[in-house]
Amino acid sequence: MSLAARLQAAASAHAGRPALSIGGETLSYAELFAAAERCAARLDAVPAGARVGLLAHRSLDAYVGVLALVLSGRPYVPINPKAPPERQSAIAAAAGCGGWLHDDETADSAQALAAGHGGVALAVDPRADGPRDFTAAAARHAYVMFTSGTTGTPKGVAVRVDNVTAYVDAFAQIAAITSDDRCTQFFDLSFDLSVHDMFVTWEAGACLFAPTEAELIDPVGFANRSGASVWFSVPSAPAMAQRMRRLGPGVLPGLRLALFCGEPLPSSLAKAVAAAAPNAEVWNLYGPTEATIAITAERLDPAAQGMPATVPLGAAYAGCAAVVVDDAGLPVPPGGEGELWLAGPQITDGYINNPAEQAAKFLATTIPGYPHNLWYRSGDLVRNDPIWGLVCQGRLDDQVKISGYRVELLEVEEALRRAAGTGEVAAVPWPLNEGGSAEGLVGFVCATSVDARAIAASCRELLPPYMVPKRVIAVEALPLNANGKIDRKALRQRYLERP
Amino acid sequence: MTLIDQIRDVFLTELGIPEEEFAPTLAYGAIPEWDSASHMVIVTALEERFGIMFESDELVELSTVARIEEALKAKGVEDGGAA
């Protein structure tokens, strides 16, 4: 059964139950799906099967828009309204959308994208009346998610409908969600972990609680006010709550599941969460967008002694494989480390219009002992620990995580180059937390002096806020390592770690 | 330096926003740069600068520049210096 058919079956089975709560308003399954079907009917103005850019954020329109596109068989392309116009336009150019769905606040952006890239702009208009007859089509892709790219422009990952249903089915074997559950929706729609929130929740007939932007300041308070039973966030969210002194023991008594994904989960933080939510199972999920949301899971044992600094990645989902391989593509022995390769029904179709990157990351090959013949190279350096299993050791390339967002330093450096008017620049993650994730970036420019404000302002026009360097420092020369590459570690030690 | 000048200094430094975006009415979430992650960065910078500590319930109330100014004054912070 397709994702659309599965969601419609859940909607009829749970018609009178709450499906979505946002900004104090709660919609039943019947109401939510009626709104989505009316929007889908108006989408007949967009060619069947065409990708549709969705410019809506933390509004009822956003969720109705996603559902309308899934039901009508048009892959959705979430475009974060907070991203600067130039980045929205870069995503639009790469995505090739046939239409643009917007809410009340993003009409102008949608019109601008339609004018510049073709296609029609339509309002989601979740309260509009009208016919509910729409043409359902069997779509190959459910969504296209854009992540930071190494060449200075974001890259789009096309995720199939059957990748998503494989994910939902595999996750149900790890932790089944029931119709009594109340699930958080903290992730932006342009972050693929939001796909888990929506479809795992709605297939189960449970209710999704989406905080408004203002409510995000205090996720613990929001979860408690919502009576949430399932929490899903990046580790940065409880880390922030901890720094705000809002993650004390027992503060989240209503949770039965606390799920984390998107960046390494520090073991000390996971234990603090377990104490804050004494009735909850704490799970660390791992997986890149290219392998659909998450592909391995580890349940925390809060009593475990000697755990590594970050919670292990755990076992691959049913039907999937996660294998640490050496440079020859062969599994490393216990105790060895290497790149983590992933396979199974969640491996996506990969990048749109990017054959070089596709060829480098998606390999049609086999690994002895595994039945899979398509492997995705994650770029994650992982230890095959004899006791703890897969343990994250960092990255093999220049990708970093900032508050869970995936950031290619090369993309930031490209923006810095344009802003500073010199080729000699570097972006350095700083400060780092104990899990190895960064809270921000510092830009280095090879110059006698820099106008840091002007450079930051210029970067803001190209990059989403979390990618903009918080400081820009002028240096006489950029240190190089033995391979002749910019030595970011040396920059960090020389300029940032001084007392 | 007046108190609002010092708060401005923290916002411009920590968020990297241009001066014209700063105003007493500036609210959490109104600009992309002031989000849940950067909120704590601002709070920490204010605590260090003025040598004070906010209670956990106060932290979520600091949702506009004007409220931050009020909260700092309530803690005895005045123009020109620490509490």
Side-chain angles (χ1 to χ4, degrees):
Chain A
M1 227 183 351
S2 73
L3 179 63
R6 289 164 57 143
L7 289 168
Q8 282 178 311
S12 356
H14 304 282
R17 295 184 63 88
L20 175 67
S21 173
I22 181 166
E25 187 179 9
T26 301
L27 272 75
S28 68
Y29 275 85
E31 291 165 332
L32 178 63
F33 277 70
E37 287 167 9
R38 289 193 187 99
C39 179
R42 292 197 302 282
L43 276 168
D44 280 345
V46 177
R51 293 177 191 138
V52 175
L54 177 63
L55 288 123
H57 181 67
R58 305 213 168 275
S59 61
L60 176 58
D61 304 57
Y63 302 97
V64 169
V66 167
L67 267 178
L69 292 167
V70 169
L71 293 178
S72 74
R74 293 177 175 87
Y76 73 93
V77 184
I79 299 177
N80 196 329
K82 290 189 288 187
E86 189 153 342
R87 189 175 181 84
Q88 292 185 9
S89 187
I91 291 173
C97 292
W100 312 90
L101 274 180
H102 62 81
D103 62 17
D104 291 345
E105 290 175 10
T106 56
D108 290 348
S109 305
Q111 299 287 358
L113 291 174
H117 302 276
V120 288
L122 293 168
V124 175
D125 212 355
R127 290 175 185 82
D129 271 335
R132 289 170 63 172
D133 301 321
F134 63 93
T135 313
R140 178 173 177 83
H141 295 127
Y143 57 89
V144 177
M145 206 58 72
F146 278 80
T147 71
S148 181
T150 52
T151 55
T153 50
K155 65 184 176 194
V157 179
V159 180
R160 297 192 309 275
V161 171
D162 63 90
N163 292 143
V164 179
T165 52
Y167 174 86
V168 174
D169 290 341
F171 182 77
Q173 294 186 39
I174 293 166
I177 303 296
T178 76
S179 59
D180 290 328
D181 275 315
R182 300 160 76 89
C183 308
T184 60
Q185 209 285 291
F186 292 132
F187 297 106
D188 285 354
L189 294 190
S190 51
F191 196 161
D192 76 329
L193 301 176
S194 64
V195 177
H196 166 110
D197 291 337
M198 292 185 283
F199 301 136
V200 167
T201 301
W202 289 333
E203 278 211 18
C207 187
L208 197 60
F209 287 80
T212 58
E213 194 70 38
E215 287 170 321
L216 270 180
I217 202 170
D218 177 24
V220 170
F222 173 78
N224 280 331
R225 283 193 305 279
S226 306
S229 59
V230 179
W231 168 298
F232 189 22
S233 76
V234 288
S236 289
M240 210 61 71
Q242 197 174 35
R243 283 168 63 180
M244 291 177 75
R245 303 181 282 279
R246 294 181 78 76
L247 196 73
V251 296
L252 286 163
L255 291 187
R256 70 173 194 87
L257 271 179
L259 310 170
F260 299 97
C261 192
E263 60 190 335
L265 173 62
S267 298
S268 57
L269 179 64
K271 287 180 179 178
V273 169
N279 304 311
E281 292 180 8
V282 179
W283 286 84
N284 182 34
L285 311 183
Y286 158 86
T289 301
E290 289 86 342
T292 315
I293 309 170
I295 194 166
T296 71
E298 168 89 356
R299 183 177 169 188
L300 177 80
D301 173 5
Q305 299 293 315
M307 193 184 294
T310 59
V311 178
L313 306 183
Y317 283 13
C320 299
V323 184
V324 183
V325 301
D326 60 18
D327 291 343
L330 294 169
V332 301
E337 62 177 41
E339 186 177 25
L340 190 65
W341 287 18
L342 307 168
Q346 291 176 212
I347 302 301
T348 63
D349 283 352
Y351 309 114
I352 54 174
N353 307 325
N354 197 339
E357 186 84 358
Q358 182 80 14
K361 302 291 276 182
F362 291 83
L363 303 184
T365 186
T366 54
I367 295 178
Y370 295 88
H372 312 89
N373 50 26
L374 176 66
W375 291 85
Y376 171 70
R377 301 180 58 169
S378 71
D380 286 313
L381 179 65
V382 170
R383 185 171 79 244
N384 177 21
D385 192 279
I387 296 167
W388 299 100
L390 305 176
V391 179
C392 189
Q393 303 290 299
R395 288 288 300 177
L396 290 157
D397 57 16
D398 298 320
Q399 186 190 106
V400 296
K401 291 290 180 84
I402 296 176
S403 301
Y405 289 102
R406 196 164 133 173
V407 173
E408 298 288 353
L409 294 176
L410 300 178
E411 186 174 1
V412 179
E413 288 169 354
E414 185 57 35
L416 270 175
R417 258 178 223 115
R418 284 174 60 178
T422 170
E424 290 186 78
V425 300
V428 175
W430 179 261
L432 302 177
N433 68 21
E434 58 184 306
S437 291
E439 289 175 17
L441 293 168
V442 175
F444 289 87
V445 174
C446 196
T448 47
S449 71
V450 289
D451 182 346
R453 290 257 158 84
I455 289 174
S458 174
C459 286
R460 269 156 43 101
E461 290 172 13
L462 302 168
L463 302 171
Y466 58 86
M467 289 173 69
V468 176
K470 296 279 189 289
R471 285 168 64 192
V472 180
I473 298 173
V475 292
E476 278 181 17
L478 294 172
L480 300 180
N481 63 22
N483 300 324
K485 290 186 167 182
I486 292 166
D487 190 340
R488 296 193 182 90
K489 199 172 165 189
L491 278 169
R492 185 154 50 222
Q493 286 169 347
R494 206 171 297 173
Y495 294 96
L496 303 173
E497 289 175 355
R498 288 183 308 182
Chain B
M1 222 188 216
T2 64
L3 181 53
I4 196 73
D5 286 338
Q6 298 195 66
I7 299 173
R8 178 191 288 115
D9 201 40
V10 167
F11 270 73
L12 267 48
T13 305
E14 301 302 334
L15 299 186
I17 57 171
E19 195 152 357
E20 57 269 24
E21 285 205 10
F22 181 85
T25 51
L26 181 62
Y28 166 83
I31 53 170
E33 286 78 9
W34 190 0
D35 62 10
S36 55
S38 60
H39 183 66
M40 199 58 225
V41 175
I42 292 171
V43 167
T44 308
L46 291 168
E47 287 181 336
E48 283 174 6
R49 181 162 190 149
F50 297 113
I52 47 119
M53 192 144 156
F54 291 106
E55 297 300 318
S56 70
D57 286 343
E58 288 176 306
L59 294 176
V60 295
E61 300 295 327
L62 304 175
S63 56
T64 66
V65 169
R67 283 188 171 198
I68 288 174
E69 189 181 13
E70 276 170 35
L72 287 170
K73 281 182 177 164
K75 291 197 173 292
V77 178
E78 290 168 5
D79 288 351

